Amino acid sequence: MPNIIFMGTPDFSVPILKDLNEAYGVDLVVSQPDKPVGRKRIMTPPKVAAAARELDIDVYQPENIKDEEAMRKLESIDPDIIVTAAYGQILPKALLELPKHGAVNVHASLLPKYRGGAPIHHAVMAGEEKTGITIMYMAEGLDSGDIISQKEIPILEEDDTGSLHDKLSRLGSELLLETLPSIFDGSNESIPQEHASATYSPNVSKEDERLDFGRPAHEVFNHIRGLSPFPGAYTKLGDKRLKIYGAKPTGEKTAKPAGEILGVHDEGFLVAAEDEALLITEVQLAGKKKTTAKEFIQNRQDLVGQSLG
C-alpha cells in the first residue's frame, strides 16, 4: 500500500478521509490546531482531527506548515502522495515536491472558477447553475495546478450552501477514489488551467454577510441561501441584528420601498426587494434562538410596514 499523508480541517474533508483510509490506509493526518469554540471558548479539535483519532490514525497539527519541524515530520513518513481537502494553509514548494506521486487537492469548484477558501458559498451567492469537484496537482499558486479530473453537479433552486456542501463532499470522495489509480500509474492526462478565466472565492467577510434588499429579489435569495446555514446573512431590525437563513422569491411585483415588511404569510413574512416580494422563512434575532419566520412574526405583527436594513 502507498504511504499517504492526508491534509484537511473542516467537516467537508471527513468523508474524503474516511473513504481514502478504507481504500488505501492513511499514514498521517495533518490538520489545523485546536481552536476555542462557543461562548465558553472550549478548545476543540477540527472535525478532521477528531475523525482521524476515531480511526486510530496519527494526527499532526502544526501552527505553520512551513516550519522546519513540520517538514521533518512529513519527511519521516516518506509519502508516496499527499492528498489535501480544505486544509487551510498554502503548502511550500519543498513539501509539494516531497511525494513520489505529487500532492493532489480535492477542490469544491470547477476550476479555474472559484479558486480560494469559500468556493461553495460564492458559487451559490453568484447564482451559478452548476458547480462540481476538481482533482488537481498542487502548485505554488492558489488552486492553480494542473487539472487531473472534474465532475459537475447542478445547483438546484432548493439548494443552499449546507446541502451543496454535503453533496460536494461525497462527490469529492468518489472522484478522488476514481482518479487515484491513474495518479499512481501515471496514466492520467492532466491539463493546465486557463488562468485568464480564473475567478476567486475568498473566505466570507462580515461585509459579505450584510443583505441589501435594494437588489433584485432573486439576487437577495441567492445571497441568503449562499450563507445558510453558516455564517448566515443578516440585516438590521431597528437596532438589532436579524439573521435570515431561509427565503423564497414569490414573483409578486411590488412598488414598496426595498426592505419594507409587507405582510404576514402562511410560511413567514414578506419583504420588498427591488422588483418583487421575497418570502422570509427562517430567522434569528440577536440574542435569540433560530426560529421559523412564521413563529417569529406571530407576536410581532406590528412590524408590518417597518423596514429592514
Side-chain angles (χ1 to χ4, degrees), residues 50-220:
R53 292 188 176 104
E54 289 179 3
L55 295 168
D56 201 26
I57 304 171
D58 287 342
V59 177
Y60 181 52
Q61 298 173 263
E63 290 283 348
N64 188 344
I65 196 63
K66 297 179 181 179
D67 287 348
E68 288 184 15
E69 179 185 338
M71 190 67 187
R72 286 195 298 270
K73 174 69 173 178
L74 272 60
E75 283 177 341
S76 71
I77 303 298
D78 189 24
D80 293 295
I81 192 169
I82 292 174
V83 176
T84 71
Y87 170 54
Q89 294 189 41
I90 294 176
L91 307 192
K93 183 179 180 181
L95 187 52
L96 298 179
E97 294 176 345
L98 178 62
K100 299 176 180 67
H101 298 289
V104 300
N105 183 39
V106 182
H107 186 76
S109 81
L110 298 173
L111 292 171
K113 295 188 74 172
Y114 299 110
R115 296 175 177 177
I120 304 175
H121 291 85
H122 284 275
V124 179
M125 286 194 291
E128 296 285 359
E129 295 183 353
K130 65 181 181 180
T131 186
I133 289 290
T134 301
I135 309 294
M136 52 172 282
Y137 283 115
M138 297 183 72
E140 287 187 89
L142 178 64
D143 297 325
S144 60
D146 292 356
I147 293 169
I148 307 168
S149 61
Q150 287 186 320
K151 189 172 286 188
E152 69 178 48
I153 58 172
I155 300 177
L156 306 177
E157 190 86 349
E158 59 266 28
D159 275 324
D160 60 14
T161 285
S163 65
L164 201 58
H165 167 283
D166 293 348
K167 292 177 185 179
L168 288 171
S169 179
R170 294 306 319 165
L171 183 65
S173 177
E174 293 166 9
L175 186 58
L176 176 66
L177 294 186
E178 289 174 15
T179 306
L180 278 173
S182 72
I183 295 173
F184 289 137
D185 67 20
S187 64
N188 71 82
E189 297 180 358
S190 59
I191 58 171
Q193 293 188 41
E194 295 180 4
H195 300 297
S197 301
T199 61
Y200 292 88
S201 55
N203 290 333
V204 175
S205 68
K206 288 294 183 184
E207 187 60 33
D208 293 330
E209 297 171 23
R210 184 156 193 161
L211 287 169
D212 176 8
F213 286 100
R215 297 165 63 190
H218 211 274
E219 291 184 9
V220 181

